[in-house]
Amino acid sequence: MNSKAIIALVMTLSAVAAVPAYAAQLEFDCDVPADHFSSVSQDVANGGSVSGTIRMYEMRNGNNLPVVGAGIFSPEKRAIAEFQLVASDTHAQSFDIIFSVNHDGDAKREKVGEVDASSAVAFNIFLSATGKAVLNVNGGEFQSDASAISGGRAMAFCSTAQFKFTNLIFSANGNGSGD
């Protein structure tokens, strides 16, 4: 191989390495018995995002309420930016939207709205490399300061129910705008 070919190969490999890693679009049938938990996740660096659509199929009676959500977690498995859709009981007609952030050890959790339990819910949760958390749910946007992380996991999860995630996409870094 001549020197021009080697330089071209190195430049090509450098360009490929600089492109942010994105997982393929997934479908995740999160179908768990009462009081059990299931998740799918991907490593992230400098923040990241999870987006997709959630639809509820069945809520189950148990010691824990049916819940579904997604978030960005630190290497210590602490939620840095997370949202949950929480049912008040197994016959609930709506879910509370709970937005949680952790900013320098100060955890904040608040109800930011409600969604119809029988409708599909589009979402995107984003954590920037600088610690800006942005949640979009069915067109509503919520923002908060959060801790910046240099690594961790983006995760989609559910408990005590059957929810289906479609168009599920993980972004491995938080260098974008969150849109």
Side-chain angles (χ1 to χ4, degrees):
M1 197 178 264
N2 67 33
S3 63
K4 287 184 181 179
I6 291 171
I7 291 171
L9 178 63
V10 169
M11 290 178 69
T12 301
L13 291 175
S14 296
V16 169
V19 174
Y22 291 94
Q25 200 169 352
L26 303 172
E27 289 195 16
F28 172 42
D29 186 0
C30 195
D31 187 3
V32 292
D35 304 321
H36 288 76
F37 174 87
S38 184
S39 67
V40 61
S41 64
Q42 175 183 312
D43 289 339
V44 295
N46 301 317
S49 69
V50 185
S51 63
T53 302
I54 301 168
R55 182 173 291 280
M56 186 274 300
Y57 284 85
E58 181 181 356
M59 292 189 272
R60 301 191 171 110
N61 287 315
N63 294 321
N64 297 303
L65 294 173
V67 64
V68 63
I72 312 298
F73 296 79
S74 71
E76 301 81 29
K77 299 181 181 166
R78 186 178 69 237
I80 301 299
E82 171 190 37
F83 88 96
Q84 298 178 347
L85 302 179
V86 181
S88 59
D89 62 53
T90 57
H91 304 292
Q93 300 298 307
S94 63
F95 292 111
D96 290 341
I97 304 169
I98 307 296
F99 186 32
S100 304
V101 294
N102 191 309
H103 186 245
D104 298 331
D106 183 29
K108 182 173 83 172
R109 176 181 165 95
E110 69 177 301
K111 177 182 172 181
V112 295
E114 292 183 4
V115 292
D116 185 341
S118 64
S119 297
V121 178
F123 73 92
N124 179 21
I125 186 157
F126 171 81
L127 177 65
S128 75
T130 59
K132 177 184 171 187
V134 180
L135 170 64
N136 288 289
V137 176
N138 283 353
E141 182 174 288
F142 313 95
Q143 297 185 24
S144 185
D145 290 330
S147 297
I149 59 173
S150 59
R153 296 199 65 78
M155 180 185 303
F157 57 84
C158 83
S159 176
T160 312
Q162 180 183 11
F163 293 93
K164 287 189 181 178
F165 289 84
T166 56
N167 305 318
L168 185 61
I169 299 173
F170 294 96
S171 171
N173 71 59
N175 293 321
S177 66
D179 296 329

